Amino acid sequence: MDWLNLLWCFLLISFFGWLFSCLYYWVSEKKFYNKGFLTLPFCPTYGFSALVCYLAFHSLSEDLYIVVVGSGLLLSLITVSAGFLGTKILGCKPWDYSGMKFNIGSYLTFPFALMLGAGGAFSVKLLIPLIEMVVSHIPFLVSMIIALSLLVLVLADYVLSFVTIFRLKSRLKKLKENLGLLGDDVSEEEITELEQNYNRIFTDSILRKRMASAFPELQHGEYVRQLTNTLEEIKADNMKEYTAVYENEEERPFASGLCFEKLFALFLIGSFIGTCIETVYALIVEGHFECRVGVVYGPFIPVYGGGACLLTLTLYKLYKLSDTLVFIIAAAIGAFFEYICSWGQETFLGTVSWDYSDMPLNIGGRTCLLYSLFWGFLGLVWLRYIYPFVSRQIEKIPKKQGSIVLSFLVAFMVVNAVMTVSAVYRWNQRVSGEPAPGRFAAFLDETFDDERMEFLFPHMRDSESLDELKGDKGATPDSARKETAEKQHE
């Protein structure tokens, strides 16, 4: 076989090998991967291995047993050598069989060695002779130009891929050295910047991004592992100032860390604080006492409780940020949460509890700049002062008693939420003149009549009366609701 046919066999089998790898990962992981070292659709290891087997055993092709065993041994040696070199170059294993039985240095397994032997024999006896027969029909000059052009592209791809890997490892090493210069008092901003630089290393170049996609373990190599471990150690040291760390599970107090128990307790506390804020606001701004709650049982406004939980989850590990950044983040989160709550209430219950349409810079009347600034202030105070104090007090509760009380409160708030939604829904039905459809509705009519509902939710109105309230600035929510009901009765 002449050199041109050998080159074509190398190129075509390299392409078939790449195609086989892509199909394998597409079937096993339901996702397309270019798992090759090169960007082009070639896996030269397949082409090189097939040619080596052909050159070594084509003269013995009549003895199938020798071809299979010899190809298996030869390709196993090539596979282990390629895996070892790939690990040294990439900094991670290009393939890993350590989780399988009968592995050889995690680069090869006995079943895979048998497959290599069968594949080598298939290449020697069938595939390469078939390729030689097909390419022999191509004019020599055309065949040579195409084959050499493809070879040049493959070689250029190799050069770019090696340069990409070496530059990637160099940048990771430099980032690790910069990390080693940081002291124990590193700020959250510096940690965030380091993490962004780390992520940017794998994403700011198409070649590096593709390489990281082909070899996910590349992002967990030696330098990267040390880098991420150091970042986690710094974060853990920082959090010791904010949250207690316990070595044994028995030492952990009730609701330790940011768990469901603590979040639910924060929800209740935030809901109660919200009621206090709204009550004081009504006394100062409107000059009279007004019941402002969000549920039918107890002094709770769930919007504030949900906001407290959301702010805690979002800002929990960002407490070292500057007050300005905390304020801005809390303002954005609070405004978004308030908008979602207003939209959800109107969409699912047909009612509206607040409307900022007459305020400047509002968004659909559901939130506005002024109240987003209010959320920012609340978030800052919550993160800096209220949450640390409240968290410590919650953790002082005895475990057994705390679990019992918490279970009762969870059940109570679930019932409270169901009764609130039912009472509001039935209130709207009554306003529309619909009779009680059953015993439960009759119970709601008796327990939560119009007078009581107007006392509990003085600013709640059905969404249909919203335009009427906007048109008549002097109308109160209650009068608008009554006028709407009278029109519907007529």
Side-chain angles (χ1 to χ4, degrees):
M1 183 183 294
D2 59 28
W3 65 271
L4 186 56
N5 286 340
L6 287 175
L7 179 56
W8 269 112
C9 290
F10 168 77
L11 292 171
L12 289 176
I13 295 176
S14 297
F15 171 74
F16 293 147
W18 173 86
L19 187 62
F20 172 79
S21 298
C22 292
L23 290 174
Y24 172 79
Y25 285 104
W26 182 73
V27 172
S28 61
E29 302 184 22
K30 307 298 182 184
K31 187 176 181 180
F32 174 80
Y33 280 104
N34 179 4
K35 300 294 289 186
F37 180 72
L38 302 181
T39 303
L40 294 174
F42 294 100
C43 285
T45 303
Y46 286 88
F48 175 77
S49 300
L51 288 184
V52 169
C53 288
Y54 179 80
L55 295 175
F57 303 110
H58 77 280
S59 60
L60 304 173
S61 59
E62 298 299 326
D63 195 334
L64 182 61
Y65 176 77
I66 293 179
V67 176
V68 172
V69 174
S71 296
L73 293 174
L74 184 58
L75 294 183
S76 295
L77 178 62
I78 293 175
T79 301
V80 174
S81 301
F84 177 78
L85 291 175
T87 302
K88 293 298 182 181
I89 295 171
L90 292 171
C92 67
K93 293 182 179 180
W95 52 83
D96 186 7
Y97 298 110
S98 57
M100 302 178 66
K101 295 182 179 179
F102 310 112
N103 69 80
I104 304 173
S106 73
Y107 297 118
L108 184 69
T109 63
F110 181 70
F112 187 62
L114 295 178
M115 291 178 59
L116 290 175
F122 172 75
S123 298
V124 172
K125 294 184 68 66
L126 295 175
L127 186 57
I128 291 180
L130 179 62
I131 292 174
E132 182 181 14
M133 181 183 67
V134 171
V135 299
S136 63
H137 292 84
I138 304 175
F140 176 79
L141 183 59
V142 175
S143 176
M144 181 178 66
I145 293 174
I146 295 176
L148 290 178
S149 299
L150 290 175
L151 180 62
V152 169
L153 290 175
V154 170
L155 293 176
D157 200 346
Y158 256 115
V159 172
L160 289 174
S161 298
F162 275 111
V163 170
T164 299
I165 287 296
F166 292 142
R167 292 188 65 184
L168 176 62
K169 294 179 69 174
S170 175
R171 291 193 177 193
L172 287 172
K173 185 175 181 180
K174 184 177 181 180
L175 187 61
K176 176 177 174 290
E177 292 172 351
N178 293 339
L179 183 64
L181 300 176
L182 298 177
D184 296 333
D185 57 344
V186 58
S187 66
E188 193 74 23
E189 291 95 330
E190 292 173 305
I191 294 177
T192 302
E193 183 179 358
L194 282 169
E195 290 179 327
Q196 290 175 346
N197 290 338
Y198 159 66
N199 292 327
R200 196 178 296 118
I201 286 176
F202 293 97
T203 58
D204 65 353
S205 168
I206 295 177
L207 292 176
R208 288 199 295 271
K209 186 176 182 179
R210 197 210 67 79
M211 199 66 70
S213 175
F215 304 99
E217 282 298 314
L218 190 62
Q219 299 186 52
H220 303 283
E222 178 183 359
Y223 293 128
V224 179
R225 191 175 293 111
Q226 294 176 7
L227 172 66
T228 52
N229 288 343
T230 305
L231 284 173
E232 291 303 319
E233 289 174 4
I234 293 174
K235 282 187 176 181
D237 290 338
N238 285 344
M239 291 307 296
K240 288 179 182 178
E241 303 175 15
Y242 199 55
T243 302
V245 177
Y246 301 93
E247 304 231 345
N248 301 320
E249 187 63 29
E250 294 76 15
E251 297 178 1
R252 296 174 68 88
F254 172 73
S256 175
L258 200 60
C259 56
F260 170 77
E261 291 86 352
K262 181 167 289 181
L263 282 174
F264 187 78
L266 294 175
F267 171 78
L268 290 177
I269 294 170
S271 299
F272 175 74
I273 292 176
T275 301
C276 297
I277 291 174
E278 290 288 340
T279 302
V280 172
Y281 178 85
L283 285 173
I284 295 175
V285 177
E286 300 184 11
H288 62 87
F289 171 79
E290 193 173 72
C291 179
R292 293 193 176 186
V293 293
V295 289
V296 293
Y297 298 123
F300 304 107
I301 300 181
V303 172
Y304 282 87
C309 292
L310 186 59
L311 289 172
T312 302
L313 287 170
T314 308
L315 301 174
Y316 178 63
K317 290 189 176 182
L318 303 179
Y319 75 101
K320 280 200 169 183
L321 291 177
S322 65
D323 289 350
T324 302
L325 286 177
V326 171
F327 179 87
I328 293 173
I329 294 173
I333 293 172
F336 172 77
F337 182 69
E338 190 174 33
Y339 185 95
I340 293 298
C341 289
S342 175
W343 173 84
Q345 180 182 346
E346 183 174 1
T347 301
F348 297 105
L349 294 178
T351 61
V352 178
S353 292
W354 61 86
D355 176 38
Y356 305 134
S357 298
D358 58 343
M359 301 190 69
L361 300 177
N362 71 84
I363 303 177
R366 304 187 189 281
T367 188
C368 66
L369 178 61
L370 178 62
Y371 280 91
S372 69
L373 297 178
F374 182 67
W375 276 105
F377 173 75
L378 276 181
L380 181 61
V381 173
W382 175 267
L383 185 69
R384 291 285 186 258
Y385 305 105
I386 300 178
Y387 171 74
F389 172 77
V390 170
S391 177
R392 288 191 296 268
Q393 301 309 310
I394 293 173
E395 292 179 0
K396 291 180 181 179
I397 300 174
K399 285 186 178 180
K400 185 176 181 180
Q401 292 86 336
S403 299
I404 295 173
V405 172
L406 185 75
S407 299
F408 169 78
L409 290 174
V410 169
F412 167 73
M413 290 305 292
V414 169
V415 173
N416 201 354
V418 172
M419 293 301 295
T420 300
V421 172
S422 301
V424 171
Y425 182 75
R426 179 56 195 150
W427 188 19
N428 276 333
Q429 285 184 327
R430 284 200 306 272
V431 169
S432 301
E434 297 182 24
R439 291 184 178 180
F440 182 64
F443 166 77
L444 293 174
D445 289 345
E446 182 180 352
T447 307
F448 304 104
D449 56 18
D450 291 350
E451 184 178 354
R452 182 174 180 182
M453 294 297 287
E454 289 166 4
F455 172 77
L456 291 174
F457 310 111
H459 290 273
M460 183 179 291
R461 60 195 178 280
D462 61 277
S463 56
E464 292 181 358
S465 66
L466 180 60
D467 292 335
E468 185 173 350
L469 282 175
K470 290 178 180 178
D472 185 2
K473 299 297 183 179
T476 64
D478 299 340
S479 62
R481 179 183 290 275
K482 291 176 181 177
E483 289 174 9
T484 302
E486 290 172 0
K487 290 179 181 178
Q488 290 171 342
H489 281 300
E490 292 173 1

